[in-house]
């Protein structure tokens, strides 16, 4: 079964043999006109906030979120490996014939790199706006900005289908058919990681809370869980959820970002206070936090928003920095502005009475910056 939650909080449900259904705001289940209500829905992916793509055994459909009308994009793709959501209102479908970029207007076929040698696609993922594809012949990266493919690391992996996955911190991993696991570094090199002795991975699943499940032919089942904050005397505050950013408030307390449940502030006396970040179309999943000396906060979210809050957690302003990519780093520039790194771009941000203004740093365009420090 495939599930997707839209910006209005409605749950889209793909079934095994009864097509697609929607649970609306009132809790009612509504059958949608996809494949006559008799197909298997294998995956759901979003194109922006207004369109959902359904990969079914009867083809790939594009569905308008508001009108709920479905249109078959392609009569039938070849063996579909994966549908992945990318930035700028696109989704990507990988099949035996090529990579397809889906947007609001239709589907565009992108040829696989010649170096893949006509091999079958085995894995597909999107990271920081670029598409990563694993073939028998190796791992390749496609940039939608340049329209070019590049090979990652080794010219060829050992014979056999590799597996590809990313963890909750955005790190990309490759498991070759001989059981060796590689980390993809910042220069797109494949770095062997002997301590990740998984053996040969046959299946990969990332569940809705970010846990990665790896099924190994030789070693059994592995579970890689996100970092968790466990406050045993206050489970009701949501500290069982995965946590990413943590920052001191400068007064002996701490700010925690929980995925995807906004912020928590822990006062020096141990009291816990929740702060919601679910604003406009943002999912409210905090990825980065910067705290000013006066206690005011800047928060970057996993879906590209920058939010300014006062020391009490009240929202002062917000701006969308990038689309569907994380704001990974925030750091003061020293002149009232802030360095903000999102996706593969860097900006200078300034808050005024009119909101948050953003100025792109052209010299750093195309760079995936994870940390900014002085």
């Amino acid at each position: 079964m495939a599930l997707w939650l839209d910006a209005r909080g409605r749950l889209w449900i793909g079934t095994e043999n009864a097509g697609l259904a929607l649970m609306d705001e009132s809790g009612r289940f509504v059958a949608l006109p996809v494949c006559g209500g008799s197909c298997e829905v294998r995956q759901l992916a979003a194109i922006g906030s207004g369109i959902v793509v359904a990969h079914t055994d009867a083809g790939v459909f594009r569905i308008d979120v508001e009108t709920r009308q479905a249109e078959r994009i392609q009569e039938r793709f070849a063996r579909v490996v994966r549908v992945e959501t990318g930035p700028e209102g696109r989704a990507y479908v990988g099949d035996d014939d090529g990579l397809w970029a889906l947007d609001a207007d239709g589907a565009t076929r992108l040829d696989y790199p010649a170096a893949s040698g006509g091999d079958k696609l085995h894995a597909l993922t999107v990271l920081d706006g670029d598409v990563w594809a694993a073939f028998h012949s190796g791992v390749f990266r496609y940039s939608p900005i340049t329209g070019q493919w590049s090979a990652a690391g080794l010219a060829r992996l050992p014979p056999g289908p590799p597996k590809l996955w990313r963890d909750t911190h955005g790190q990309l991993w490759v498991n070759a058919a001989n059981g060796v696991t590689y980390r993809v570094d910042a220069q797109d090199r494949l770095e062997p990681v002997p301590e990740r002795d998984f053996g040969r991975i046959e299946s990969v699943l990332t569940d809705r809370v970010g846990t990665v499940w790896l099924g190994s032919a030789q070693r059994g089942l592995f579970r890689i869980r996100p970092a968790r904050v466990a406050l045993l005397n206050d489970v009701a505050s949501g500290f069982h959820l995965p946590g990413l950013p943590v920052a001191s408030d400068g007064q002996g307390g701490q700010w925690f970002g929980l995925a995807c449940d906004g912020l928590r502030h822990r006062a020096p006396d141990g009291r816990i206070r929740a702060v919601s970040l679910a604003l406009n179309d943002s999912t409210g999943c905090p990825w980065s936090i910067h705290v000013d000396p006066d206690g005011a906060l800047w928060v970057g979210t996993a879906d590209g928003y920058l939010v300014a809050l006062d020391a009490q957690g009240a929202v002062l302003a917000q701006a969308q920095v990038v689309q569907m990519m994380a704001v990974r780093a925030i750091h003061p520039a020293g002149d009232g502005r802030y360095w903000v790194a999102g996706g593969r771009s860097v900006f200078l941000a300034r808050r005024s009475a009119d909101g948050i203004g953003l100025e792109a740093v052209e010299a750093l365009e195309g760079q995936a910056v994870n940390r900014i420090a002085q």
Side-chain angles (χ1 to χ4, degrees):
M1 183 170 68
L3 300 174
W4 179 65
L5 190 68
D6 67 20
R8 290 170 52 182
R10 300 176 301 181
L11 185 64
W12 297 67
I13 305 166
T15 68
E16 185 175 353
N17 54 17
L20 185 63
L22 172 70
M23 187 174 74
D24 64 18
E25 296 93 327
S26 66
R28 294 181 307 148
F29 285 92
V30 180
L32 300 180
V34 176
C35 63
S38 60
C39 63
E40 175 188 353
V41 179
R42 296 168 177 167
Q43 192 183 352
L44 297 171
I47 299 180
S49 60
I51 296 175
V52 60
V53 175
H55 164 214
T56 79
D57 60 357
V60 177
F61 294 81
R62 181 176 55 224
I63 304 140
D64 187 289
V65 169
E66 297 304 322
T67 66
R68 306 176 189 175
Q69 295 301 306
E71 173 192 2
R72 197 193 311 262
I73 300 175
Q74 196 80 1
E75 182 62 28
R76 185 177 296 274
F77 287 91
R79 180 187 60 94
V80 172
V81 173
R82 185 77 179 162
V83 179
E84 280 281 348
T85 299
E88 301 174 356
R90 280 185 173 183
Y92 294 93
V93 176
D95 73 355
D96 286 344
D97 292 334
L99 181 69
W100 297 80
L102 311 183
D103 57 25
D105 298 321
T108 303
R109 183 175 180 272
L110 308 170
D111 290 333
Y112 285 137
S116 67
D119 291 345
K120 286 186 176 181
L121 178 70
H122 288 284
L124 183 75
T125 191
V126 175
L127 183 61
D128 289 333
D130 289 349
V131 182
W132 293 79
F135 303 84
H136 274 296
S137 51
V139 178
F140 296 84
R141 176 181 190 164
Y142 175 78
S143 168
I145 296 175
T146 64
Q148 301 295 317
W149 288 92
S150 59
L154 305 174
R156 291 187 68 87
L157 291 172
K163 293 295 181 182
L164 186 70
W165 73 91
R166 58 178 172 176
D167 61 25
T168 54
H169 302 288
Q171 176 63 56
L172 195 64
W173 300 86
V174 178
N175 180 265
N178 63 354
V180 176
T181 298
Y182 300 87
R183 178 192 294 113
V184 181
D185 68 14
Q187 285 74 45
D188 291 354
R189 295 188 298 254
L190 298 185
E191 174 189 348
V193 186
E195 59 269 26
R196 295 291 178 111
D197 185 18
F198 301 128
R200 178 174 173 173
I201 299 299
E202 297 291 343
S203 59
V204 178
L205 172 68
T206 302
D207 65 23
R208 62 183 179 181
V209 298
T211 300
V212 180
W213 298 84
L214 304 174
S216 168
Q218 293 91 22
R219 301 290 306 281
L221 182 65
F222 289 86
R223 180 179 63 184
I224 303 175
R225 302 179 69 179
R228 289 178 180 267
V229 178
L231 187 63
L232 298 180
N233 64 343
D234 200 70
V235 175
S237 290
F239 279 87
H240 61 293
L241 296 170
L244 275 176
V246 180
S248 169
D249 66 359
Q251 304 295 323
Q254 299 84 33
W255 286 98
F256 299 88
L258 299 178
C260 282
D261 197 34
L263 298 172
R264 298 291 187 277
H265 180 257
R266 183 177 185 271
D269 61 6
R271 289 178 299 164
I272 304 294
R273 180 165 54 90
V275 175
S276 174
L277 289 176
L279 307 167
N280 294 345
D281 292 330
S282 174
T283 57
C285 300
W287 190 280
S288 54
I289 299 176
H290 169 75
V291 182
D292 282 335
D294 63 359
L297 289 87
W298 292 82
V299 179
T301 71
D303 55 352
Y305 280 81
L306 179 65
V307 185
L309 306 95
D310 65 18
Q312 302 306 311
V315 174
L316 302 175
Q318 63 171 316
Q320 186 166 20
V321 179
V322 289
Q323 291 188 347
M324 300 304 293
M325 291 185 285
V327 175
R328 296 178 178 273
I330 307 167
H331 192 80
D335 58 357
R337 298 182 297 174
Y338 294 79
W339 296 98
V340 178
R344 300 183 68 82
S345 300
V346 177
F347 301 85
L348 282 166
R350 184 191 295 273
R351 188 172 69 83
S352 67
D354 298 324
I356 298 175
L358 296 168
E359 176 187 347
V361 181
E362 299 295 339
L364 296 176
E365 184 62 31
Q367 301 296 316
V369 176
N370 294 311
R371 185 171 180 267
I372 304 172
Q374 289 180 330

